[in-house]
Amino acid sequence: MTHDLERDVAYAVGLDLGDGESSLCWLPTTGRTSAEIHLRGTEGASIVTAIGREPENPEAQAANRRYRVVIGEAAVFAKNSVQFSVNFKNRPENTDLHTPDAVRFAQVLLTEFFAQHPEVREDCVVYVGHPAGWDRPSVAAYQRHFTAMDVPLRLVAESQSALVHVRDRRAGQPAVVGLDRVLVVDVGSSTTDFTVVEDLLPRNLPLGAELGCRDIDGTLARIVRDSCAGNAKFDASHGSEGGPEMLTLVCRRAKEAQFSGVDLRLQELECGCDPVFVPLVTLALGRLRQLDIPGRVVRAPGGWADRFAATLTEVRGHLGSPGPELVVLTGGGSRMPVVRELCVGAFPGATVENDTEPSLSVTRGLASIGRHSVNVARFRRDIQALKDRPEFEEAIRAGLVEAFDEAKSSLLSRLLARADRLNADDEGDLDELIRELTGLDEVLAELRVTLADALIPLVLDICRSYGIRDDQFTLDIALPEIIGTAIPRRIRALWRVLRNSQGALDVVTRVPQLGLMRLRSALRAGATPAQMAALVAGMAVIVALPKGAELGARQLIKTTLNNAALDPAEVDRLVTDVAERISAQMDDRAREVERFLA
């Protein structure tokens, strides 16, 4: 998703194209407001994934009629609809030149949405979900079909989108269970998707692509057809154009009603649909109300529950040990109690969490991914710009100069104290000697503290603007190796002068000691007063000379070090290098977020 990061847009739109129901939401990429759900007439948040053609002028002759594409309940209830279809989200083929019904449905829905919200249309990116079990060629083919839409659009695995929504929902809550090893089980109508996230790296498992809840709808439709076989009214209604699709929709509504405990407007199907479908709807509803769908159909031997359990066994094999810490159930099908029951049994060491509104978790996650992606781009740009700010550069420059002064001060005090070890046999020994005499390790440690004190507040200001708390932020100032070599290299250039001057201090220290030894020897030998006077006069000259030499040597050491400075061009390189290293560390934090989303 790195190409998404080039877009700095005002809005992110999430579109979940479900096989049974779809939903759309949007949110601004600035701030932290919740996604707003697109409500479509009486359908509310969940839009029936149905598409059809309705004549604009039904009185005209068939050859002269013009048609408009209608979606959702309008396609179901249109009295003169043709080519009515539902359950059409299928894996596209690379060679398929026909625009899939799912894409046509999306085009109509987005056109309708943008007409109501032109400000979003002007500056947005649309994120559309796809089953995680689809292979790359299928996803690429799906993407190509969307290119005809004049709007930036990205595809994201649906289960990953649900996980992002879960992470958002848990933000600010106590971390009872972490998100280090998470399995997302997205139970949809066409597929059941499995995504595992370990150390922020999502991995879509190639399982469940053929295990959708529409299989239950198909089983119910067969039961209804068998029980109503021979009924002339049912056969005529079912045999009319759109009859099988209407039966599928009735079965899905009846299934959802039993699992949710809410009558999902079943009566509206009877009074609102085309009269030709009334016998079908009436007879089907009568049979379905008598049927224990959770027990007789879903849990039947070889039924959907058995297939789901077998798939969970495959998932366990893919994950290996240790298993997930958290299992997140999303998608409309996750409302079936058997889903949670089987997941608890398959992963006994994990916490199993149901989303409160599973049918909207994907679409909310899609919009959230859009916001996060834009904010990651902004965060990275702000961090990159930070290294060019004058106060950032000046803090690094001042720290480097102070570090060099500290190294010089340490070296000066040790040379004037006449350090014992001055000679080095080779270049490596010399570098080690200089490092020791300058106290370079302590100097660099202090430099890291100085830079942290000066730079971290600047970085924290940026982090806070993106909702990153101070306790979530850590920045280890990793100094580039060039700093550890630049200071010794500058000292080495002065080493001959410093070593000779310090050597002179050792010599002049020994001269007075030799004179005193001669005086003591003369006294012991019984020298005359005249001899002693001459010897003392000579000693005065001898003592005076070393004092002058010592002062000269000390002054030369001080002058040499006081005048020493890092080369300005080298300081510039060091400042740039340190700034780049720190910026790279911050960029790594952005990559963590990006990896989570990508």
Side-chain angles (χ1 to χ4, degrees):
M1 279 175 55
T2 52
H3 54 281
D4 294 355
L5 302 179
E6 300 170 2
R7 293 279 303 176
D8 188 355
V9 297
Y11 295 95
V13 178
L15 173 56
D16 177 24
L17 287 172
D19 196 60
E21 293 180 333
S22 298
S23 56
L24 184 150
C25 72
W26 77 103
L27 47 69
T29 57
T30 56
R32 299 178 184 84
T33 56
S34 300
E36 189 168 350
I37 302 295
H38 175 56
L39 302 179
R40 193 171 187 271
T42 59
E43 291 184 82
S46 295
I47 304 164
V48 177
T49 308
I51 189 170
R53 288 199 306 154
E54 185 179 52
E56 295 181 355
N57 50 347
E59 302 303 324
Q61 295 293 326
N64 298 323
R65 287 175 185 167
R66 293 191 302 273
Y67 295 89
R68 63 173 176 269
V69 176
V70 291
I71 62 172
E73 286 187 346
V76 177
F77 297 146
K79 296 296 188 291
N80 298 296
S81 177
V82 296
Q83 295 182 347
F84 164 59
S85 61
V86 295
N87 288 98
F88 47 65
K89 187 177 176 182
N90 300 308
R91 185 196 303 266
E93 299 293 338
N94 271 326
T95 57
D96 188 5
L97 301 178
H98 171 71
T99 301
D101 283 338
V103 177
R104 294 170 58 218
F105 177 92
Q107 291 171 336
V108 175
L109 179 58
L110 285 170
T111 299
E112 170 189 286
F113 168 73
F114 287 138
Q116 297 178 27
H117 303 278
E119 74 285 358
V120 178
R121 172 69 180 84
E122 290 299 316
D123 194 13
C124 75
V125 174
V126 177
Y127 288 78
V128 179
H130 69 81
W134 282 4
D135 54 25
R136 289 187 178 182
S138 297
V139 175
Y142 200 43
Q143 176 79 59
R144 282 196 299 274
H145 286 299
F146 278 107
T147 56
M149 301 184 65
D150 187 23
V151 61
L153 187 143
R154 310 288 183 247
L155 296 182
V156 182
E158 291 162 351
S159 50
Q160 291 176 216
S161 309
L163 178 60
V164 171
H165 169 62
V166 169
R167 188 191 65 176
D168 289 347
R169 195 186 69 225
R170 292 159 64 97
Q173 299 178 4
V176 179
V177 180
L179 295 175
D180 293 331
R181 291 195 313 279
V182 182
L183 175 66
V184 181
V185 182
D186 182 20
V187 186
S189 184
S190 59
T191 64
T192 297
D193 292 344
F194 300 90
T195 295
V196 59
V197 178
E198 296 177 291
D199 297 328
L200 294 180
L201 291 174
R203 178 164 54 98
N204 298 320
L205 302 183
L207 300 169
E210 308 303 326
L211 180 64
C213 290
R214 68 177 172 189
D215 292 352
I216 303 172
D217 305 337
T219 300
L220 293 174
R222 286 194 297 273
I223 292 173
V224 170
R225 288 197 303 269
D226 291 344
S227 65
C228 295
N231 185 304
K233 291 183 178 180
F234 177 87
D235 291 341
S237 182
H238 185 266
S240 61
E241 184 175 6
E245 288 79 9
M246 177 60 76
L247 178 58
T248 298
L249 180 61
V250 171
C251 291
R252 185 167 68 237
R253 288 284 179 86
K255 174 194 67 181
E256 292 170 351
Q258 289 201 20
F259 279 112
S260 66
V262 177
D263 191 350
L264 298 179
R265 305 190 303 275
L266 295 174
Q267 275 69 33
E268 292 181 15
L269 288 173
E270 294 181 278
C271 61
C273 65
D274 191 307
V276 72
F277 296 132
V278 170
L280 180 151
V281 173
T282 302
L283 290 168
L285 287 177
R287 177 69 183 91
L288 290 168
R289 284 194 176 102
Q290 300 170 6
L291 186 62
D292 176 12
I293 296 175
R296 288 274 316 273
V297 178
V298 176
R299 293 179 182 266
W304 189 91
D306 281 353
R307 294 176 59 205
F308 181 66
T311 305
L312 288 178
T313 300
E314 291 186 74
V315 171
R316 270 206 322 271
H318 273 267
L319 297 183
S321 182
E325 298 173 314
L326 174 67
V327 177
V328 176
L329 306 180
T330 66
S334 66
R335 288 175 293 195
M336 296 188 295
V338 69
V339 171
R340 179 181 181 86
E341 174 189 319
L342 292 174
C343 286
V344 169
F347 305 103
T351 298
V352 179
E353 179 179 304
N354 286 76
D355 196 350
T356 54
E357 293 184 287
S359 61
L360 297 178
S361 57
V362 169
T363 189
R364 284 175 170 152
L366 288 165
S368 184
I369 282 178
R371 172 190 280 169
H372 286 312
S373 297
V374 171
N375 279 307
V376 166
R378 291 172 181 160
F379 179 76
R380 294 173 73 170
R381 281 196 295 270
D382 287 349
I383 290 299
Q384 289 295 323
L386 181 60
K387 68 177 185 294
D388 298 323
R389 284 168 53 176
E391 62 267 39
F392 194 81
E393 179 181 319
E394 284 306 313
I396 298 173
R397 188 179 300 276
L400 291 172
V401 172
E402 182 180 347
F404 188 61
D405 287 343
E406 286 292 327
K408 290 194 305 181
S409 176
S410 177
L411 180 60
L412 175 62
S413 63
R414 296 187 185 197
L415 289 179
L416 294 182
R418 301 165 191 175
D420 293 333
R421 192 159 76 89
L422 277 180
N423 298 317
D425 296 332
D426 54 39
E427 292 295 314
D429 289 342
L430 177 55
D431 287 340
E432 182 59 34
L433 177 59
I434 292 174
R435 190 178 191 92
E436 176 187 329
L437 295 177
T438 56
L440 191 60
D441 292 339
E442 294 80 4
V443 168
L444 294 180
E446 184 62 30
L447 175 58
R448 280 191 289 270
V449 173
T450 299
L451 291 180
D453 290 344
L455 302 181
I456 287 181
L458 300 177
V459 176
L460 284 178
D461 285 343
I462 294 177
C463 291
R464 293 186 194 111
S465 68
Y466 288 93
I468 301 175
R469 302 193 312 269
D470 291 4
D471 60 350
Q472 294 175 312
F473 172 77
T474 56
L475 176 60
D476 179 22
I477 301 294
L479 298 177
E481 292 183 5
I482 190 174
I483 294 179
T485 59
I487 293 177
R489 185 169 60 246
R490 183 71 186 97
I491 298 298
R492 189 194 300 179
L494 311 171
W495 187 249
R496 184 181 297 277
V497 174
L498 295 172
R499 184 180 61 183
N500 291 341
S501 299
Q502 210 277 343
L505 292 180
D506 290 343
V507 172
V508 298
T509 300
R510 290 195 296 271
V511 170
Q513 292 174 344
L514 292 173
L516 291 174
M517 289 173 61
R518 289 181 62 187
L519 284 174
R520 294 192 188 99
S521 178
L523 286 172
R524 285 197 298 268
T528 65
Q531 289 174 325
M532 288 297 296
L535 185 57
V536 170
M539 282 300 300
V541 174
I542 291 173
V543 171
L545 286 174
K547 279 295 182 185
E550 180 178 5
L551 290 174
R554 287 180 176 275
Q555 188 59 46
L556 183 56
I557 291 173
K558 292 178 180 179
T559 301
T560 301
L561 288 175
N562 286 338
N563 292 337
L566 292 172
D567 180 76
E570 188 166 45
V571 172
D572 290 341
R573 287 195 300 273
L574 291 175
V575 169
T576 300
D577 201 346
V578 173
E580 291 287 353
R581 293 296 181 91
I582 294 174
S583 183
Q585 289 182 67
M586 293 306 304
D587 200 45
D588 285 341
R589 288 184 63 85
R591 287 195 185 97
E592 287 183 9
V593 179
E594 185 182 356
R595 282 195 314 173
F596 190 87
L597 300 175

